[in-house]
Amino acid sequence: ELKQTALMSNSMGYLGKVFRMAVQRRLLHMGASTSQILDFYVAMIKALRVLDPSDILLNHVAGPVRRYLKHRKDAVRSIVSSLTQGTDSELYGELKKGGSLEYGVDEDDEEAGPGEMWMPRRRDHELQSGTATASGLDILALLVSIYGSSDLFIVEYRSLLAEKLLANLKYLTDQEVANLELLKIRFGEESLHSCEVMLKDIEDSKRLNNAIQSKLQSQLPADTWTETDFAIVSENYWPAIQQDSLLFHPRVSRHVEAFQQEYAVLKKPRKLHPAALLGSVDLELSFEDGSVRAFTVSPIQATVVLHVADCGTVSVSRLTALCECDEEELLRGVSYWVNKGVLREVGGTDSDRHFEVCEDQSALAGNDRFTDRDDAEADVLMRSTAAADAQQKAASQLIEGYTKGLLMSNGSMTLERLHTMLKLLVAGGSSGINSSGMSSDARFDMSHIQLRQFLQGLVDRNLIETVDGLYL
């Protein structure tokens, strides 16, 4: 009825202006979550295409939404999460439609000519302020067109997949494999090759863990054997993984070393290098009052409580020396056990506090398993995200140095020439970086749009200048 009324009264332009103002006022603000904005955008596309299949109305109303999403930091991650979260998401339904992610044919293409079925594009003088996009794009293509390239989505999916796989303690990958196959149809196989390798790593890890565990279990006495397994990853294909040092407690390290030795035999000449701060440990702690408490914790948390149990009362400086880790990391581990009532502070100085085990646990026993698995998985996600952020910052500094060096050596340069030179400088070496800011042996592959945004940041910080399209 609304469509018929708008057409009969020639008020489609007025309708677009009113709707656009309402969207800007009621939706595009920090009080609305990114997922809410995306859900609204998807619903708006469907509704406005019913009113106006030519997309003129959609382009006008959606312009502010597209600009707002482009500058909202978590928008890409929200889109990728929605694409891969399963049947509850409308975007997942769009992903399942299949078909390559291609933009519609430009109706005004002068080189290709008008074609036999050419019709002039309908115009509306009241709705010309909208952001022009090719008409007929599906919803996923419209979201990608906000950023001008699918590169950002590939990088974000790779990061999100790594987080899910590292937190997947049972090596279940069926859903992720299905998602990847759908994404390959839409985004192309070549751009998602590293994600295929990541999933294969997890499948190989499951097989290797079963083989090594069976052998170790047959070699060690039953009362000393503890199951230890690893997610074994190909470093060059995964996002940055936190590699800070940690010396495992002797009860743990002997099992880790035995696993490493068996792996070296099976996969000779490869060697296993544990990321000591990642992962989870299942602990069952017995106390003097007869209480038993079970926890699933991070490696640093497990190492801390085992050392305190061995030493009785121990200082932070002593714990830091025993763990061979950063003091800030160690204090986070100590704080966890203090909050759980397992450790308590017993004096010391402000600069070197002392802790001991609290043996009276009868009132707290039995209430731990409900949240600790989630805490351990959250810790893995936090650390992998922190590592990626640190790597991205380091890579940005590297690109900044190359850029300033090129401009000092060559004078003014266009965006295209800068892009070419940066690609040549870091092509195919171990110091190479990609658009995610992660070290690998891959070439530099920022798109022109991403590089323009990066250079604009340098201009805003007064590190370089831009005049008439030239950077200097």
Side-chain angles (χ1 to χ4, degrees), residues 196-212:
E196 282 190 284
V197 175
M198 291 162 64
L199 285 167
K200 186 176 184 301
D201 283 344
I202 297 300
E203 294 174 3
D204 292 344
S205 296
K206 183 178 182 179
R207 185 173 60 254
L208 282 168
N209 277 296
N210 289 336
I212 293 174

Side-chain angles (χ1 to χ4, degrees), residues 82-87 89 91-101 138 140 154 157 174-189 191-192 196 199:
S82 185
L83 277 174
T84 57
Q85 72 182 17
T87 55
S89 166
L91 284 182
Y92 185 73
E94 290 293 321
L95 184 63
K96 290 181 68 177
K97 289 181 179 179
S100 59
L101 191 69
D138 65 22
L140 184 54
I154 300 300
Y157 172 68
D174 290 350
Q175 183 60 51
E176 301 308 326
V177 170
N179 289 340
L180 179 60
E181 291 303 318
L182 291 172
L183 287 167
K184 282 161 61 177
I185 294 172
R186 293 295 251 162
F187 291 94
E189 292 193 21
S191 59
L192 290 163
E196 282 190 284
L199 285 167

